[in-house]
Amino acid sequence: MNNQTNNKILQFLLWIVTTTLLLGDDGYKMPPKAIADLVDAPATPSVSVSPDKQKMLIMERARLPSIEELSQPELRLGGIRINPQTNGRSRTSYYTGIVIKDIWSGKQKVVKGIPKGGRISSVNWAPDGQHIAMTVTHGNQITLYMANVKSGKAKQILKTPLNGIYGSTYYWLSNGKSLLAKTILKGRRNPPQKVTVPSGPVIQENAGQKSPARTYQDLLANAHDETLFEYYMTAQVVHVTLRGKVKNIGKPGIIRRAEPSPNGDYILMETIHRPYSYLIPVYRFPTLIEVIDVDGNQIKLLRDMPLADTIPIGRDAVIDGPRSFGWRSDVGATIYYVNALDGGNPQNKVPYQDEVFTLAAPFKGVPKSLIKLPLRYSGVRWGNGSIALVSDRQWTQRRTTAWRVNPSTGETEKIIDRSYEDRYNDPGSPISTLNQYGRSVLHIQDGSTLLMSGIGASPEGDKPFLDQFNMDTKQTKRLWRSEPPYYERVITIMDKKGKMILTSRESKDEPANYNTRNVDNGEMKLVTDFQHPYPQMKDVYKEMLTYKRDDGVDLSATLYLPPGREPGDGPLPLLVWAYPREFKTSKAASQVVGSPHRFSRISPTSPLIMLSYGYAVLSGATMPIIGEGDQEPNDNYVKQLVASAQAAADIMVDRGITTQDQIAIGGHSYGAFMTANLLTHSDIFQAGIARSGAYNRSLTPFGFQSEQRTFWESPDIYFAMSPFMHAHKVNEPILLIHGEADNNSGTFPVQSKRYYHALKGHGATAKLVMLPHESHGYRARESVMHMLWETANWLDTYVKKEAKE
């Protein structure tokens, strides 16, 4: 029997095996053990530092839930997913246990008193650091628990279950001895039942008014949805003391927010009301915004916000009139808000787009103008009563500015004006501290100096820093910077002078742990000792690469090789994983992203899991889409995308990491969209893996990702960028994976279904996997394991060289 005959027999046997794998039963599959072990590795705990910087909470995170848990009843109303059994959000993450650790002595105690199996979330320190509040989901209700820091003992302090669906479930008052919480109504009847015989059609009507809206999921659909929405969302605000004494405040309603003033004398209340909408989610429903006292009496009506269904399409578009109400954190009881001066439409050319106002208690005077902003308001950081930082930005130019404002005198000065795409010159963010009200305020030294921390992007990778920034001189003094072979970043300052800091420190082979560091002499003390979660992956090779696109744009990526492998050990099958991003300048697009010194964290859905199965992975390969000057990035989307992908593949082949005939491309969400486009418009890759993507842009006609133009303004762009419109061009195998309950705007499950139908109709090699009950990201252990089984099988079948020969 000659070699040609042998090869044909082997190919036939491979086809049988592959067909069996692809067309077998529909039950959940398990990937190879090496992959499954990584999925089941313990999650690294989360931490939270006490207000006095003496203690730390170490919170154990839950592992992946089961598909049984994810299959519990769920309501999807007004853009929110509700667990009707608990009257809380569905699909939430939670903690399974809490340890209180003394940062300086190392002593620790386990928080006890939580019911067995209780799911802990919304953990917050009291302003005085003596207690910890948390919500605990147990059985069919969410309850408020309090733990004494000194003893570590926890107890339930509120008998009535909480309403945990929307907004913050509770707020601490500044005295640290009481809280405001939202509860379900006592004596509430059973939920309204759906009438099987309709009383009439569902009608929507527009009287000639422009009401554009992007595509949203889980919206209200009929009158029954509205009654269910009101039933589950209605809450009662209560005041509860640490001893469990409860007092109702105001009337029940759909409470979006009930935030106490810093001094505890007033409450900023936001209540949602009719008319609702079937086209936009709850956060754009009509909202009554008012200040009430602790007895529930209205002190000041701030605004009755109308249904926000006429906001223009565009990143800087906002609702007309006052918005963004909040408490000044640096004084006892002063409201601030923002008013649009351009009607909320950035296309209207005016000298100033926004104006910030303040209104002090007792809220009877005329609001005081704090500053007029030439760009769109983007945030405010309050300081010591005489200093505040107000930020504004302009999306079209990727520009941001920061203004130093004296709330007392009205003096203003611009202190920062930069492109927020420019990572290399990012001055960082101001470090905050807590004031006498337990509120976050700017940490100000010598009256005019801020402490700034940032990622420190550079051509060598990210190197976090701590700086002093003098607002008078605009001069910066570097206090500390992370140095190789570690990636270390500032978490918080531990003293008033900022000389002692708490950092998170990691390296390529060491997971992140927390340390105290003396900025002056560099002395360090280890606070946590989290172990390597997957020691079998300790010898993973990691290298940050820089290379050029054919138009001269600099690109970067991080190369990973399986444990024990080096670049000179010969070619491997390669998985390239990426996510395109838009830029206004090639200079910004060329900047290096990431750090070669970060720990190789492998989440259950990470492409790095394939390292355990013998694949090389090129992660975070930059795919910049640039539109300089008057051009928009998407004007040349396909050309730039293909050029970036070709550059990534070329450097991998040139270095001998892989060969041209065993490279796959993959991505999630917009990365899936990228994957489909690359298989459509190039022959660079042997196969693709597209998870939870959108492929027909006519189904997102009022904009998508960073595209602000509508389908009717730029139909050619929408057509050219939609893989669905070019399904006949795909000649490489593509694996489509999608959650049946995807809630992400634009990535409707029908996107993958219709794209698969188009591919199948044109004879493409394609497979569609719909994961029951899964959202935009996949959570159930069975779903994740099956997704990885599909991925490994697809790559083995169509990418691995030995399998194709």
Side-chain angles (χ1 to χ4, degrees), residues 573-584:
L574 172 71
L575 173 61
V576 179
W577 200 264
Y579 190 97
R581 296 192 182 279
E582 297 83 357
F583 294 88
K584 284 302 294 179

Side-chain angles (χ1 to χ4, degrees), residues 188-244:
R188 186 176 65 173
R189 296 181 179 180
N190 292 329
Q193 297 300 305
K194 187 173 184 177
V195 178
T196 55
V197 179
S199 59
V202 176
I203 298 173
Q204 300 181 63
E205 184 177 6
N206 185 60
Q209 188 176 37
K210 288 186 177 181
S211 302
R214 292 203 175 203
T215 51
Y216 298 102
Q217 313 273 45
D218 304 337
L219 301 177
L220 299 178
N222 50 52
H224 178 66
D225 280 357
E226 294 187 41
T227 59
L228 282 177
F229 175 78
E230 290 180 332
Y231 176 86
Y232 286 103
M233 292 283 285
T234 300
Q236 172 68 57
V237 177
V238 301
H239 176 273
V240 55
T241 67
L242 297 184
R243 295 184 176 182

Side-chain angles (χ1 to χ4, degrees), residues 28-40:
Y28 288 103
K29 306 292 195 304
M30 283 291 292
K33 185 177 185 301
I35 292 177
D37 287 346
L38 289 180
V39 174
D40 289 332

